[in-house]
Amino acid sequence: MKPQLYILTGGSRGMGLAMAQQILKQGHHLLTIARQSNADLQALAHAHHAPLTQWQHDLAAPHAAAAQLQQWLGTLSADTFSRAVLINNAGAIPPIAPLSHSDWQAISQALRVGLEAPMLLTSAFLQATEGWILPRQVLNVSSGLGRRAIASQATYCAAKAGMDNFSASVALDEAAKPNGAKICSLAPGVIDTDMQLQLRSASEAAFPDVSRFANLKSEGNLTSPEEAGARVLAWLERADFGNPVLADVRNA
């Protein structure tokens, strides 16, 4: 069988790394875009004879990454693959504080990583593969915080809400095309990652919900990156992928 093509942002650690490892173990073709490359991924790719390309790129400068992706996809032959998938997984939380006390540069950087980069990369992916006669999917890793806001997280909540809504709009665009891509903005649940550590380590003065996030850890209610990654990848296999566009793994 032909391999599948996966493009994954934020694949060097956390759930992104777990997804990258699982993709490579299946022998698929993987491109990762992250600030750092991962030597262990290269070794895993070699062991499973899986083509791996790692781009070191800060998605706070998303225009260059999108242009590079569009150009790179143009060098590939659609006949090589059975499916093409873009997973926008990278995200960023600026220092935790009310918006009135937030650093403007950190706000701007987090919005570029969490919203502007997924939009530009999705545009590049859809443009470059529009003539490919094979299944194409865009999976945006969203969050419950994009659908239910909390204090001191205005930037992250805004990025994920924007991700949800641009996904819904793009889905309408693609539905009007003969071979349009399917898109889903998927909340993966609460995961034991550095982001959760950042939230539960904040002061109560800066983050009123800190005790709730601390309890998620102490009570064992966090999903491991490996299990969360497997659930996200399994969502791509659903016959109804993209319906609804806004989904949550906990409602499977």
Side-chain angles (χ1 to χ4, degrees), residues 52-67:
L52 170 66
T53 302
Q54 297 189 78
W55 290 349
Q56 288 184 251
H57 193 99
D58 186 350
L59 289 175
H63 190 278

Side-chain angles (χ1 to χ4, degrees), residues 97 156 171 180 185 204 233:
Y156 188 75
S185 192
E204 188 171 357
L233 293 177

Side-chain angles (χ1 to χ4, degrees), residues 191-243:
I191 309 163
D192 197 2
T193 61
D194 291 343
M195 191 173 290
Q196 283 289 323
L197 176 60
Q198 184 180 352
L199 289 169
R200 65 177 178 268
S201 300
S203 69
E204 188 171 357
F207 186 39
D209 286 296
V210 63
S211 62
R212 180 163 68 87
F213 283 85
N215 290 339
L216 287 172
K217 176 67 172 179
S218 63
E219 295 171 3
N221 291 325
L222 296 177
T223 305
S224 71
E226 293 74 21
E227 183 180 352
R231 289 180 179 178
V232 170
L233 293 177
W235 205 269
L236 289 162
E237 308 303 325
R238 293 173 62 105
D240 64 349
F241 178 87
N243 183 25

Side-chain angles (χ1 to χ4, degrees), residues 4 9 51 87 103 109 122 128 144 169 186 195 208 222 224 248-249:
Q4 299 171 18
T9 67
I87 303 176
D103 178 81
Q109 182 175 8
T122 298
S169 179
L186 180 67
M195 191 173 290
L222 296 177
S224 71
D248 191 311
V249 294

